[in-house]
Amino acid sequence: MQLTSLSFLYLFLPASLAVYYLFPRRMRYGVLLGISFIFFLLADLPALLLLSCSVTADYGLGLLMERFEEKNHLRRAIMLLMVGKNLCLFLGVFCFCQLRGVSVPLGLSVCTLLGIGYGVDIYNGEALYEHNWAKFMLAHILFVKLPTGPLVRYRTIREQFAEKKADLAGMSEPICLFIQGAAKQILLGAPMQRMHQSLIGFSPAEHSVFSLWLMPLCAAMNLYFSLSGYCDMARGLGGMFGIDLPRNFYYPYQSRSVTDFVGRFNISVTTYLKTYIYHPLGEDSGGFVSTALNIGVVTLLWGLWFGLRINYLLWGAYFVLLILLERSVWGKILIKLPTFFSRIYTFSLVLFSFVIFNGRSLGESLFFLRGMLGLGGLEPASPSVLYLASQYAPYLVLAVLFSTSLPHSIKNTLKKKSQAAAAIAGALCYGILLALTTGFILHP
């Protein structure tokens, strides 16, 4: 079962909310754990068994670390064991799935990285030892954030389990956020993926300069709307159950520099890497060489978050190079540029990065890059790409529009003029979005 399936939208979610709010406040975290277990059972039973054992092991290691509170060398050894165990589980299972050509277990990256963070935090005294197994398990397998996050620290999610008064009146905002996320994923992310797959399927003779520019644009829009859509759904679902999750994307394609883009794209992963890798390495306090190495390590891992492929590693390396150049060569000039030009500069470089990100091989990526620059002897546009572009033109235009803050600015302007009109227009728009999303799920 997926968050965008009709069975989840119209059966599982309403039933879960009804059960959750019928129980007394003191029992709700237990109810939510049960809901998460049921979701996991329906979505990926082997993953539930694997990750339950892993999370329980982390819980036990945490208690063992507390037992040796006065013996720091033993605490360090246990912390390293916890970190090593989660890293080996993540890398081992990921490599196994890639070799076998099967799907990665649901929630693998979220659960293992949360376990690593918990071990480091309790060792450093930045989080309390957890004595409640149910709450510890819930923090890891909370169903709303299993598909793609956001990735939050254990102590942040644990604080959300305090007894809260039911606030059914405040449901409208989380529901709208959930609908917005589903619409992003289904109405814009999925068509962009289909268009990109069609372009990838072109033979070299069918390609043109236009098709090679369309490919990274579609890939960029697909990745943004798929990931940000799922994260908006997670935030909306969290709000429905009284849990506040952080924003994970902040209009990254409006960034004014590549450094800014990395800070706006997949924010929770960037924050996690800064907290557990960049800060311990000394940040930028050790001179240019040390700073370059620290930025390089973090940004490479930021790229590898999407998978263990050479193209993802090169994608991260590409951003490492650009960030270092911005910091040491043209960063001061970039700050002085008008907003329009700095955004064009950033988006162009980001667009080139998706040629690397989505290439099936390094040679294919180089062929695409040469063709985009007019060095491959390709014609400007071919009949096949013009036909495909005409089919997907409305989706492409809407994707570019909704990847900016323009719709949000229009909404805020309407609110300032008339709160009542904004509320009516908002209810109408979200109702239409829900109907369209349902229709597209039924008939892709």
Side-chain angles (χ1 to χ4, degrees):
M1 180 171 60
Q2 297 181 342
L3 297 183
T4 52
S5 64
L6 293 180
S7 57
F8 178 84
L9 286 171
Y10 294 107
L11 292 176
F12 186 87
L13 180 56
S16 298
L17 287 169
V19 172
Y20 180 79
Y21 282 103
L22 282 173
F23 273 82
R25 290 198 302 271
R26 66 180 183 278
M27 300 176 65
R28 282 182 184 158
Y29 79 87
V31 174
L32 192 52
L33 177 62
I35 292 169
S36 296
F37 270 127
I38 294 170
F39 178 85
F40 228 138
L41 280 169
L42 295 173
D44 195 340
L45 176 58
L48 175 60
L49 298 175
L50 174 68
L51 295 177
S52 294
C53 293
S54 175
V55 172
T56 302
D58 288 340
Y59 172 75
L61 289 170
L63 295 180
L64 188 62
M65 194 185 299
E66 184 182 28
R67 184 175 179 181
F68 295 108
E69 185 68 33
E70 303 301 322
K71 298 179 180 180
N72 197 54
H73 65 287
L74 289 175
R75 291 179 67 249
R76 185 186 298 111
I78 296 168
M79 182 270 290
L80 292 174
L81 177 62
M82 193 183 302
V83 171
K85 184 270 292 181
N86 280 289
L87 278 177
C88 289
L89 178 64
F90 175 73
L91 294 173
V93 173
F94 208 104
C95 291
F96 175 81
C97 291
Q98 284 201 323
L99 289 172
R100 291 296 184 94
V102 296
S103 299
V104 176
L106 177 66
L108 175 69
S109 55
V110 173
C111 286
T112 51
L113 293 180
L114 188 62
I116 290 171
Y118 171 72
V120 173
D121 282 349
I122 58 174
Y123 174 76
N124 290 331
E126 296 179 5
L128 299 175
Y129 294 100
E130 182 58 75
H131 298 102
N132 187 315
W133 175 86
K135 290 183 178 179
F136 188 78
M137 182 65 70
L138 177 57
H140 286 77
I141 68 162
L142 180 64
F143 79 96
V144 304
K145 62 182 181 65
L146 282 176
T148 59
L151 183 62
V152 294
R153 298 176 77 171
Y154 176 78
R155 69 181 188 185
T156 302
I157 194 71
R158 177 63 174 81
E159 290 167 359
Q160 304 287 326
F161 299 153
E163 294 179 9
K164 295 181 180 179
K165 187 176 180 180
D167 186 18
L168 295 175
M171 273 289 186
S172 59
E173 187 175 340
I175 288 173
C176 290
L177 190 56
F178 177 80
I179 294 172
Q180 172 184 298
K184 278 183 175 182
Q185 209 280 327
I186 298 296
L187 302 182
L188 295 175
M192 289 298 95
Q193 183 183 33
R194 289 195 293 271
M195 186 177 183
H196 181 259
Q197 290 300 319
S198 297
L199 288 166
I200 283 286
F202 278 15
S203 66
E206 292 177 295
H207 271 302
S208 61
V209 176
F210 182 44
S211 69
L212 295 181
W213 277 98
L214 270 182
M215 273 201 299
L217 180 61
C218 293
M221 293 300 158
N222 169 43
L223 188 66
Y224 170 70
F225 284 108
S226 296
L227 292 181
S228 68
Y230 272 121
C231 287
D232 283 353
M233 292 171 75
R235 291 175 62 216
L237 288 169
M240 294 180 205
F241 291 97
I243 295 172
D244 184 29
L245 295 174
R247 188 170 189 166
N248 210 19
F249 294 84
Y250 187 67
Y251 305 116
Y253 299 140
Q254 287 190 171
S255 303
R256 296 191 59 184
S257 68
V258 173
T259 306
D260 187 27
F261 171 79
V262 172
R264 289 168 175 248
F265 191 92
N266 222 358
I267 298 168
S268 64
V269 173
T270 305
T271 303
Y272 181 95
L273 293 173
K274 284 182 177 178
T275 301
Y276 295 110
I277 296 176
Y278 188 57
H279 296 331
L281 287 175
E283 304 181 42
D284 54 359
S285 60
F288 178 77
V289 175
S290 176
T291 300
L293 287 172
N294 295 345
I295 292 173
V297 169
V298 170
T299 312
L300 286 173
L301 292 173
W302 180 78
L304 287 174
W305 164 261
F306 297 96
L308 300 176
R309 281 180 54 194
I310 186 64
N311 283 58
Y312 298 152
L313 181 64
L314 292 173
W315 193 62
Y318 174 84
F319 282 108
V320 172
L321 177 62
L322 291 174
I323 290 171
L324 293 176
L325 287 171
E326 285 183 354
R327 292 186 66 141
S328 59
V329 182
W330 59 67
K332 292 181 180 179
I333 300 172
L334 190 60
I335 293 173
K336 297 176 182 178
L337 286 177
T339 301
F340 174 78
F341 291 107
S342 60
R343 284 178 175 171
I344 292 295
Y345 151 84
T346 305
F347 187 69
S348 300
L349 291 176
V350 168
L351 206 58
F352 274 109
S353 81
F354 278 96
V355 180
I356 303 170
F357 185 88
N358 279 279
R360 290 172 292 192
S361 67
L362 183 57
E364 185 179 63
S365 294
L366 290 173
F367 166 75
F368 291 156
L369 284 170
R370 290 179 70 248
M372 289 173 69
L373 297 172
L375 302 176
L378 300 175
E379 59 182 321
S382 62
S384 52
V385 73
L386 291 174
Y387 175 72
L388 185 67
S390 67
Q391 285 186 307
Y392 284 94
Y395 300 106
L396 191 56
V397 171
L398 288 172
V400 172
L401 175 65
F402 281 94
S403 68
T404 71
S405 59
L406 181 60
H408 184 71
S409 299
I410 294 172
K411 177 182 174 182
N412 285 341
T413 302
L414 184 59
K415 271 187 178 181
K416 288 178 183 178
K417 290 185 176 180
S418 172
Q419 289 279 354
I424 293 170
L428 183 62
C429 286
Y430 284 109
I432 293 171
L433 281 179
L434 180 60
L436 288 172
T437 301
T438 303
F440 271 63
I441 293 173
L442 284 168
H443 303 288

